[in-house]
Amino acid sequence: MANRYFPSLFGSGEDPFRSLYQEVQKTFEDFSRRNPFARFGSDALSPKIDVVETKDAVQVTAELPGVHENDVEVTLEDDLLTIRGEKKTEREEEDKDKSWHVVERSYGAFSRTIPLPFDPDATKVEAKFDKGVLRISLPKPAEAEKKQQKITITKDQPAS
């Protein structure tokens, strides 16, 4: 029987390659459901962030769904802000008798380093964690204040 993706090569009879095609399709579907490489991808656990600069501070917001605040560490070294932690598995020992059909959630350690446009004073940095969202406010030091000055544009005089 012909299929719209892999038409029969032998007329109206059963296609000998159809079962092979179906097995290959099934293998790819199984692989996509149980991707063993998902936890090794660089973005698999890396928190998604927003970085916003205001006149007074840089604000970093990181999404950390399923991560407990005690499993998160924020460090500041010169002009580098690092968020690291671990999303721990929720599976129990008795879960080993279950047949998992879809496994898309990732677990393990993560780290994200954000370069800052200045060296903030660590004693003034605030970090708050609520409902899986980490918000960090890094006040700008006085010397980081950008000074703006208008430059006058003059007409170029032709050489005489």
Side-chain angles (χ1 to χ4, degrees):
M1 179 165 97
N3 136 339
R4 69 178 206 183
Y5 300 110
F6 198 85
S8 175
L9 301 173
F10 301 97
S12 61
E14 183 65 33
D15 186 346
F17 296 109
R18 180 182 169 109
S19 64
L20 174 62
Y21 171 78
Q22 289 173 335
E23 284 299 313
V24 170
Q25 285 298 105
K26 184 179 180 310
T27 300
F28 279 113
E29 288 171 10
D30 288 346
F31 183 79
S32 68
R33 276 188 261 149
R34 294 186 186 130
N35 184 350
F37 303 110
R39 65 181 156 163
F40 298 115
S42 61
D43 289 337
L45 288 172
S46 184
K48 304 296 184 218
I49 63 168
D50 290 337
V51 179
V52 178
E53 184 174 0
T54 67
K55 67 178 187 128
D56 300 323
V58 168
Q59 298 166 342
V60 177
T61 304
E63 290 182 340
L64 300 168
V67 177
H68 192 275
E69 65 186 272
N70 294 336
D71 296 326
V72 178
E73 177 183 270
V74 178
T75 58
L76 186 62
E77 184 176 341
D78 298 323
D79 62 347
L80 296 175
L81 176 72
T82 301
I83 302 168
R84 67 174 50 90
E86 182 177 2
K87 182 176 180 186
K88 295 181 179 172
T89 183
E90 297 169 4
R91 293 186 187 169
E92 300 292 328
E93 199 56 36
E94 67 257 9
D95 288 350
K96 65 183 172 185
D97 294 332
K98 295 179 181 175
S99 295
W100 296 89
H101 292 278
V102 179
V103 179
E104 295 178 346
R105 297 167 59 203
S106 300
Y107 301 94
F110 60 86
S111 180
R112 184 82 188 256
T113 299
I114 302 131
L116 302 168
F118 55 86
D119 293 344
D121 180 351
T123 63
K124 296 181 180 176
V125 174
E126 292 181 359
K128 296 179 181 178
F129 192 90
D130 185 37
K131 298 178 184 170
V133 178
L134 175 65
R135 289 182 172 78
I136 305 166
S137 180
L138 304 122
K140 291 181 181 179
E143 62 270 12
E145 188 177 311
K146 294 180 182 176
K147 296 182 180 176
Q148 184 177 13
Q149 184 177 352
K150 186 172 182 173
I151 306 296
T152 305
I153 302 171
T154 60
K155 185 173 180 179
D156 192 17
Q157 300 294 324
S160 336

